[in-house]
Amino acid sequence: SGAVRFAIYLDKKIVNTKARKEFIEKYLSDEKIEAFEKETGLDLRVSGMPYIRTLNAKSIIDEIGLFIFAALAITSLLFFFFFRSRSATLISMLVVIVGVMWSFGTLGLLNYEITVLTAIIPPLIIVIGIPNCIFLINKYQQEIKNHGNKAKSLKRVISKVGNATLLTNLTTAAGFGTFIFTDSKLLKEFGIVASLNIVFLFLLCLLIIPIAYSYMPMPKEKHLAHLGKNYMKSFINWIENTIRHHRIAIFIVSICILVLGIIGIFQIKISGSIIEDMPKKAPFFKDIIFYEKEFNGVMPLEIVIDTKKPKGALKTVTLNRINELQETIEEIPELSKPVSIVNLVKYANQTFYNGNPDFYDLPNSKLEEALVLTYVKNSTQKGNENMLKSYVDSTGQYARITTFMRDIGTDKMKKIEERLQDKINLIFPKERYAVSITGKAYVFEKGTHYLIGNLVQSLLFAVLLISLLMAFMFRSFKMIIVSLLPNLLPLIMTAGLMGYFGIPIKPSTILVFSIAFGISVDDTIHFLAKYRQELKANNWKIKRSVHNTVKEAGISMFYTSVVLFFGFSVFTLSNFGGTVALGGLVATTLIFAMLSNLILLPALLLSLEKTIANEKEFLEPTLDILAEDIEEDYSHEK
């Protein structure tokens, strides 16, 4: 199309510092570009990784306000719809807003930058904090409805729900905390800030809500009306009827989902793309597409040749080998035309013949070689050092080939890398040359596979860590297995759906599993904590205990899951594909996790009643803030 490209190499001292942003804003701002286009009549397109990273970071920061506002709006509306209480809604909003401020404070104290991951922590705090408030306030209102004693109700909120809420927050924090053990700086920072602030959030909820309600008047009848809503009664009755009469069907459906999920998992492809998750509507993205079309991309792929001798890069034999490698690069359609010292020598040879394009080639005769190479070597003298600076180092030992790659995904990148490596091994003997491939395209391909391996390990670590927390709470191996099954099934189902719908495994989607698992286990803990209390109250009668648990814990689990679903759906408003995928997949997983915990978990408990329905298998909780018998003595005394 007649487009001309020129490349500017930024000083590496500023590329990964704040100075890069200042440089881009000063010299390559939209105003500067528009002014240049207006003055010259030229269509100026700007791209390159430092430029893309700068504008991408700006887009991320611009979205934070949208996420926070949307998360606050949707969660507060849902909360008010469920509880019909302005005071309860305001208290809950106060808690999560303080939590959001603490999350920003943590980022500042630890001197972390706002990245595509840390940007989602403030709205994440809102989405996770509201379920805490729901469990505590719902329990308080249930107790008020049962006996009308405020002091007793608040004590029971702390004793019965407080310890369970502590463990649910610890499991959620564990889900995020596993990212700390990866070797990715981005994930480590995300894991540290998220896990710390989830624990802070628990402390806020457990302190602010009971204190606030201790000063407030008793809830009115209209505030307790939601506990007996017809739609909730119908939902809970359907759950009870299903687990009472259709347990075989539950297990058959679960096995079918498991099998289909596993089949889908084998269809998942691993993919990584630098631009795939970037905002498609951003002006800089259109320029990336332009470069993809006109010049085969903006992602640099670099090949460095170490000749192991000073000035070895300018020897004829080396130049011929580099030229042969460049011919292979030109044959690969996904790569742009390469540039190296060979191009400069060819230009010099052409100049020797008065600019005749027929002589754009390496010197053929000894005379050409002597004259042309002398000219090229002399070009490194004072005043002309920049002519070779980008292609050969100051000693002449290292030569560099630069090409650019289209954003083709890591699977195709790997094949291109293998093809280049085979050619390098063929034409550069290892005893005389050391050749290495690098550049953004290559590093990203390697980094994606490495990161996915790290994230799989973090998921396994999350399962192990949460299993240990469950063991700490229940002290029963059978209960650990029973609690994990309903939470692993939704993960397998989501992974299967990714395979069926062609959603690849990449850094932005692999995060889903650790996050969703850490949050979905919360419902299990609340259910089993209530179930244990019902067992004691009902003299170890399994059926009655399970159904009572469904009636009491089911309402809170339904409320929190709906809030979490819509809360994570907020991330689908993002312009970043990775954030959209994260929000949509986590929201889907959590809805299925709720159904699994309300249907499959009770069905498992009822089916295993003969093996777990005794005090030896189901010991007293390790955490017990207020002993049950003391509390009951206090109530009788009153």
Side-chain angles (χ1 to χ4, degrees):
S1 65
V4 178
R5 174 172 68 174
F6 61 92
I8 302 167
Y9 291 91
L10 287 187
D11 189 331
K12 65 180 180 181
K13 293 178 181 177
I14 75 164
V15 169
N16 292 316
T17 67
K18 292 179 180 179
R20 183 194 77 228
K21 179 185 175 185
E22 294 167 1
F23 176 87
I24 297 295
E25 288 177 347
K26 184 175 181 181
Y27 297 106
L28 294 169
S29 64
D30 291 341
E31 293 77 14
K32 292 270 187 183
I33 293 170
E34 288 172 8
F36 176 84
E37 290 178 328
K38 187 176 181 180
E39 182 181 344
T40 62
L42 296 174
D43 179 16
L44 182 63
R45 309 283 183 133
V46 183
S47 198
M49 293 315 300
Y51 180 78
I52 291 170
R53 285 172 61 194
T54 302
L55 296 192
N56 205 41
K58 184 178 182 300
S59 298
I60 292 167
I61 293 170
D62 290 343
E63 282 194 348
I64 293 179
L66 169 67
F67 287 154
I68 292 175
F69 176 78
L72 279 172
I74 192 70
T75 52
S76 60
L77 285 173
L78 286 170
F79 195 95
F80 184 76
F81 175 77
F82 290 144
F83 288 93
R84 302 298 172 93
S85 170
R86 284 191 296 271
S87 57
T89 306
L90 288 173
I91 291 168
S92 301
M93 290 303 107
L94 172 65
V95 170
V96 295
I97 288 171
V98 173
V100 167
M101 298 306 293
W102 282 12
S103 67
F104 280 118
T106 308
L107 284 170
L109 284 172
L110 297 176
N111 202 25
Y112 291 162
E113 292 183 9
I114 293 177
T115 64
V116 70
L117 286 181
T118 54
I120 69 174
I121 292 176
L124 204 63
I125 291 298
I126 297 171
V127 174
I128 294 173
I130 290 297
N132 282 350
C133 300
I134 287 175
F135 273 111
L136 293 169
I137 294 174
N138 196 60
K139 178 62 179 174
Y140 171 68
Q141 292 184 349
Q142 285 176 340
E143 290 294 328
I144 288 291
K145 188 175 183 179
N146 287 340
H147 51 73
N149 187 319
K150 184 198 285 189
K152 181 178 177 182
S153 299
L154 290 172
K155 284 189 176 183
R156 286 198 169 187
V157 165
I158 296 169
S159 64
K160 289 192 173 183
V161 183
N163 58 351
T165 306
L166 169 62
L167 283 171
T168 59
N169 281 266
L170 288 177
T171 54
T172 304
F176 288 93
T178 52
F179 299 132
I180 299 170
F181 301 98
T182 65
D183 292 322
S184 164
K185 181 185 175 185
L186 197 70
L187 286 170
K188 276 185 178 179
E189 292 179 356
F190 173 70
I192 290 169
V193 177
S195 55
L196 281 175
N197 279 279
I198 287 167
V199 176
F200 294 160
L201 194 63
F202 162 74
L203 296 173
L204 276 173
C205 292
L206 200 62
L207 290 172
I208 293 177
I209 290 176
I211 290 173
Y213 272 98
S214 70
Y215 286 101
M216 290 169 59
M218 293 277 286
K220 297 178 181 178
E221 192 61 35
K222 64 178 182 179
H223 298 148
L224 308 178
H226 69 95
L227 298 171
K229 284 287 185 183
N230 289 332
Y231 68 87
M232 281 309 307
K233 281 185 178 179
S234 300
F235 178 69
I236 297 299
N237 288 338
W238 175 77
I239 296 286
E240 283 193 272
N241 184 63
T242 303
I243 61 177
R244 191 183 306 233
H245 303 294
H246 305 288
R247 256 183 286 162
I248 301 298
I250 292 171
F251 296 138
I252 291 172
V253 170
S254 299
I255 292 169
C256 291
I257 290 173
L258 179 66
V259 172
L260 290 172
I262 292 172
I263 294 171
I265 288 171
F266 284 103
Q267 298 179 39
I268 295 179
K269 294 180 180 179
I270 295 176
S271 175
S273 166
I274 291 180
I275 71 170
E276 184 179 38
D277 291 337
M278 289 183 181
K280 304 292 188 294
K281 296 178 182 178
F284 74 85
F285 187 83
K286 296 176 183 176
D287 285 352
I288 294 174
I289 299 303
F290 175 83
Y291 276 87
E292 290 269 305
K293 180 181 177 183
E294 297 291 336
F295 300 107
N296 283 0
V298 295
M299 292 192 300
L301 184 68
E302 309 277 358
I303 300 173
V304 180
I305 298 107
D306 177 8
T307 62
K308 299 184 179 180
K309 293 180 181 178
K311 299 195 181 296
L314 297 175
K315 292 187 179 295
T316 304
V317 63
T318 302
L319 293 174
N320 283 317
R321 293 177 192 276
I322 293 174
N323 188 51
E324 189 177 348
L325 179 58
Q326 289 193 187
E327 288 174 354
T328 300
I329 292 172
E330 290 183 25
E331 292 171 1
I332 301 173
E334 291 84 4
L335 299 179
S336 68
K337 189 172 182 178
V339 181
S340 71
I341 180 63
V342 166
N343 298 77
L344 181 58
V345 173
K346 287 181 177 181
Y347 280 125
N349 193 56
Q350 180 181 346
T351 304
F352 181 73
Y353 287 99
N354 298 316
N356 188 337
D358 292 336
F359 291 92
Y360 179 71
D361 203 351
L362 291 175
N364 290 320
S365 66
K366 291 289 184 182
L367 178 61
E368 286 179 354
E369 184 180 313
L371 292 171
V372 172
L373 290 182
T374 299
Y375 169 74
V376 172
K377 289 173 183 176
N378 290 338
S379 72
T380 60
Q381 294 176 0
K382 188 176 181 181
N384 295 306
E385 60 270 10
N386 285 333
M387 192 172 287
L388 279 175
K389 187 177 180 181
S390 295
Y391 311 120
V392 179
D393 77 310
S394 58
T395 66
Q397 179 174 329
Y398 296 90
R400 169 188 184 182
I401 302 173
T402 299
T403 182
F404 292 90
M405 179 183 280
R406 289 179 183 173
D407 190 53
I408 53 176
T410 54
D411 48 347
K412 291 183 180 178
M413 282 186 198
K414 190 171 180 62
K415 292 178 182 177
I416 291 173
E417 175 213 333
E418 290 171 353
R419 181 176 175 181
L420 289 176
Q421 194 62 58
D422 290 342
K423 188 67 176 180
I424 289 168
N425 294 338
L426 185 65
I427 62 178
F428 289 99
K430 290 186 177 180
E431 62 274 8
R432 294 176 58 188
Y433 300 94
V435 183
S436 57
I437 303 174
T438 184
K440 187 71 175 180
Y442 178 80
V443 171
F444 184 78
E445 185 267 321
K446 292 295 181 187
T448 297
H449 285 87
Y450 180 75
L451 191 59
I452 288 171
N454 268 256
L455 289 170
V456 170
Q457 291 176 16
S458 75
L459 175 60
L460 295 174
F461 186 70
V463 174
L464 176 62
L465 188 59
I466 290 169
S467 298
L468 292 174
L469 285 170
M470 301 294 275
F472 178 71
M473 181 175 182
F474 297 113
R475 295 192 285 173
S476 167
F477 178 75
K478 291 176 183 177
M479 291 308 298
I480 295 171
I481 300 300
V482 167
S483 63
L484 288 179
L485 286 176
N487 294 291
L488 291 175
L489 185 63
L491 299 186
I492 294 171
M493 190 203 67
T494 300
L497 290 175
M498 289 173 64
Y500 291 124
F501 288 101
I503 303 171
I505 284 286
K506 52 185 177 178
S508 56
T509 54
I510 195 72
L511 286 169
V512 169
F513 300 103
S514 293
I515 293 173
F517 183 74
I519 296 174
S520 66
V521 169
D522 294 358
D523 280 346
T524 307
I525 292 175
H526 277 291
F527 189 95
L528 292 179
K530 178 60 184 171
Y531 172 66
R532 181 181 54 213
Q533 291 168 356
E534 289 293 333
L535 274 177
K536 289 180 65 178
N538 291 293
N539 206 18
W540 300 94
K541 293 179 180 176
I542 298 292
K543 288 183 181 179
R544 184 185 298 175
S545 300
V546 167
H547 293 300
N548 287 349
T549 303
V550 169
K551 285 179 182 177
E552 184 167 332
I555 296 174
S556 294
M557 289 166 67
F558 174 79
Y559 287 171
T560 56
S561 296
V562 171
V563 169
L564 287 167
F565 175 80
F566 284 102
F568 274 99
S569 297
V570 162
F571 295 122
T572 59
L573 300 174
S574 174
N575 290 317
F576 292 85
T579 308
V580 172
L582 177 70
L585 289 171
V586 171
T588 302
T589 306
L590 292 177
I591 280 293
F592 284 107
M594 176 199 70
L595 294 173
S596 182
N597 277 302
L598 278 177
I599 298 174
L600 179 59
L601 179 57
L604 287 170
L605 291 172
L606 289 171
S607 299
L608 299 173
E609 59 180 304
K610 292 181 180 178
T611 61
I612 63 174
N614 60 78
E615 297 182 34
K616 291 181 181 179
E617 288 289 347
F618 213 174
L619 301 174
E620 284 294 311
T622 307
L623 289 179
D624 193 10
I625 299 173
L626 187 64
E628 191 77 24
D629 54 344
I630 296 174
E631 185 179 346
E632 292 304 321
D633 289 344
Y634 172 79
S635 65
H636 287 313
E637 186 179 317
K638 293 292 285 184

